[in-house]
Each structure stands twice: as C-alpha cells, then as structure tokens.
Amino acid sequence: MASRPPLRRRIAAARTRLGHRAVKGPLSWRSRHRHVQPLRMVGRGRAGWRRARQSGTLTLQRGGSGAARTATRSGLRFRLDVLLPILLFLFSFGQNMADVNGTVFHPDESRWLNRAHFLTDLRDPFGPTWQDQYLARAQPPLGSYLMGLGLLVQGRDTETTAVWDFSYGVEWNELVGAMPTQADLDAGRRTNALVGALVVLVVYFIGRALTNRAGATFGALFLALHPLHIWLASQALSDQLLNLLLALATLACIRFAQQPTWRRVLVLGTLL
C-alpha cells in the first residue's frame, strides 16, 4: 500500500487545481480560506457548509485573481485620494465666498488693498515706493503682492485707495479717498477666499500624513466650517496667507522627518 504524500504537497496540488477548474470534495482549511471564495454550497449558513463538507459535495470556484482584486482596491483608493481633497477645497471655497458680501468692512482691508501696487512697483526696486518708511517697512510684502496679483487676475488696477488713517473716523477717511470701492473690496476678498480654501486643502494633507483618510477629512472639515476661518477668509487681509505658509511649513516638516533629503530641507527652510 502506497503511503500518502505529505500534507503540504497535497495542499499545493489542490491550489494548482483551483487555478483551472472547480474542486469538489473536502479541502484543507488553509487552501479553502486563503486561496478560494465559496460561491455555491449545499444549504445555507454554517450548517449547510458543514453538511457539504462532510458529504464531500462542497463546490468551490475561484472568485477572481488576487491581482485583479488588489488592482480594483488600489484604483478606488486612488480615486478617493484625488477626489476627496478637491471636494474639500471646493466646499471650503464655497463657504468663504458665501460670506464675502456679508462680512462687515474692516479698516485693515483698506491698508492691504492700498499696498496692492507693491506688486507692479517691483519693476522699479529703487523707486519712491520702497523709500516710504511708514508703508514699506510696516508689514511683510507678501500680503501686498497677493492683493495685487488677485486684483490683476480679476481685471482690476493695483492703484486702489489712499492710506487709511486710524487717527480719524470712517467719515474722514471716506472724504480723503481711503475707503476702497466695492469692486476692489470684493476682488480682494475673493482672492483671500481662495487662499483660505487652499489652507483647508493643505490641512487635509497634513492629516493624511499624520493619521488616515478619515482623520484628515475630519480635520479639514472642522477648519472649513470654523467661523473664525470663514471670517478671515472673507476679508481682504493677509491672515490667511500666513496660515497657508504655516500649514505648508508644517507639511514640509513632516515630509522631511519621514525622509530627510536636501531638497526637502531647502523647501522647509524657504517656507520658514
């Protein structure tokens, strides 16, 4: 009487047969659960599975290659990783834009719109604009550049208003031309609404790097719906630009900690 082959060899033979046709009869636990999917069996539930296994009529069919199932899951994850940040960005931008016309004017908005001409004055780095100590040295210029770029993209001019004087009231500043026009004010606010939505987008990627998709989505939604974030994003100010730079620096710091390279440290140093 010939001896039976070892268990490992019998399992390997069963796996080979599963790749080409259905297999009837009792199978080992490992080959049954790891390499096949039950599609048809006698009866229902565990009792039916047990009766079919005992009677030797259990029919198993290959449910599709593992590579195909892995590719399907990878494609779904890729679509989520692309679509979810876009949807969060659009949602935040819509929230910010909804408050652009309803937010009360703040005198600081006049200051940032007034300095929008800093962008076009870069063509003359030794001109009178950069000799004005009161305006040129009071604030970092990136917010002014952003306002100028936003106005130009929306078809406005960078020559906007006079300088708002906080020593006097609103009526006096209106008389001297320090109150921005509604068109310039709306253009500056729309620019900041876009920057605020970008902050939400970067916060999503920070959460994605630190937690998972659910944690990143929660963090981004929390920021997008926060009243302070919406209020700052619906004004022509520079606060959201600062938030964007801080968020980008945080993300760059995380990337550098994960894999230190010269390229990443240069990006981090530039943002800081």
Side-chain angles (χ1 to χ4, degrees), residues 59-76:
T59 301
L60 300 175
Q61 291 182 350
R62 191 178 181 89
S65 64
R69 291 193 296 272
T70 302
T72 301
R73 289 194 295 267
S74 299
L76 178 60

Side-chain angles (χ1 to χ4, degrees), residues 123-182:
R123 295 173 296 186
D124 186 10
F126 299 102
T129 295
W130 313 111
Q131 309 303 320
D132 190 339
Q133 180 177 358
Y134 179 69
L135 288 178
R137 302 182 186 180
Q139 296 285 350
L142 286 181
S144 304
Y145 299 157
L146 175 65
M147 286 295 114
L149 180 62
L151 292 175
L152 290 176
V153 169
Q154 297 176 71
R156 306 298 300 173
D157 196 347
T158 56
E159 299 296 331
T160 54
T161 66
V163 180
W164 188 278
D165 194 334
F166 287 92
S167 301
Y168 299 91
V170 175
E171 294 182 357
W172 188 90
N173 281 283
E174 287 180 346
L175 289 175
V176 299
M179 175 66 74
T181 63
Q182 191 62 43

Side-chain angles (χ1 to χ4, degrees), residues 25 40 53 70 85-86 91 125 144 184 195 204-205 239:
R40 294 186 289 112
R53 182 182 178 186
T70 302
I86 295 176
F91 175 76
S144 304
D184 287 342
V195 176
Y204 171 82
F205 287 117
D239 299 78

